[in-house]
Every structure is written in C-alpha cells, then in structure tokens.
Amino acid sequence: MVLYGDTAINVSVGDIGLLGGFKIGHKKVKQWPHWSLAYNYRYIDGDAQLDAFPDADFHNGTNAQGHNVIAQVGLLKNTSLAAEWYHTRNLESVSDDDYDNRLQLDTKVKF
C-alpha cells in the first residue's frame, strides 16, 4: 500500500489545493493477473494553481472538490483495462446533490 498527498498554495490570493490518497496492488500493471486500486480526494480552490496544471477530467480542473477511484487489471502481456470514476462538485455549489459523476474506461497497450 502506498499513501500519498500533495498541497498547492497561491500565497498572493490565499487559495489552496489539497490531494490525499492511497494505492494498493501491483506498482505497474503489465500482465494478467496484475491489478491495482487507487483512491484520492481533492480540494482545489479556483486560483490555487495555474489552470494548465490540474487534471481537466476532474471537474474541469479547479474550483472543485471530490473523489477519484481508479481500478486497473492486466489482460495480456503489456495490455490492461482501467476504469476511472470521478465524483466531484463545484466549490460554489450550495447543495450536496450537485455532484457530477464521470466514468472513463481505458484499454492500455504498450509496445
């Protein structure tokens, strides 16, 4: 198991970005039966960092908070299947019902 975290602070405006999570399973999923499962929570104020740096799949980058889960399994040598789920919302949202859900499926082939 790997635990990780990161912070970003824009001292000129006082905005912050926080990320914390964990990963279990194989370090690199290269073949069957390798697998991994990862989770992270993110909180990113609107001006915590340049808009070019954040993950655009995560609620378009900044001014958001939420969860990210990634599951990956090896299928063949150098081939894997991954599913990634985002459960995010805008920081200015007033209701807990305003979460967006995004599911991405990827087939990865290395050659």
Side-chain angles (χ1 to χ4, degrees):
M1 175 186 260
V2 176
L3 297 174
Y4 57 89
D6 201 0
T7 60
I9 302 172
N10 183 341
V11 293
S12 65
V13 293
D15 282 1
I16 63 169
L18 304 170
L19 178 139
F22 68 87
K23 182 178 179 180
I24 59 174
H26 291 86
K27 186 175 181 179
K28 292 187 178 184
V29 178
K30 295 182 178 181
Q31 62 191 16
W32 176 260
H34 291 183
W35 63 275
S36 70
L37 179 65
Y39 165 83
N40 66 63
Y41 174 80
R42 304 176 198 187
Y43 178 97
I44 306 171
D45 280 328
D47 291 323
Q49 54 190 5
L50 292 175
D51 286 334
F53 294 135
D55 181 0
D57 293 330
F58 185 82
H59 204 82
N60 297 323
T62 61
N63 200 35
Q65 68 176 356
H67 310 273
N68 177 221
V69 178
I70 306 163
Q72 188 172 1
V73 64
L75 299 176
L76 303 168
K77 184 176 180 183
N78 297 323
T79 305
S80 65
L81 180 66
E84 188 164 5
W85 175 60
Y86 295 93
H87 182 67
T88 63
R89 75 178 183 128
N90 191 296
L91 290 178
E92 297 169 0
S93 176
V94 294
S95 170
D96 284 340
D97 297 333
D98 290 341
Y99 277 91
D100 292 329
N101 290 292
R102 179 179 297 181
L103 178 65
Q104 294 178 280
L105 301 174
D106 296 314
T107 302
K108 300 177 182 181
V109 180
K110 295 184 179 183
F111 51 93

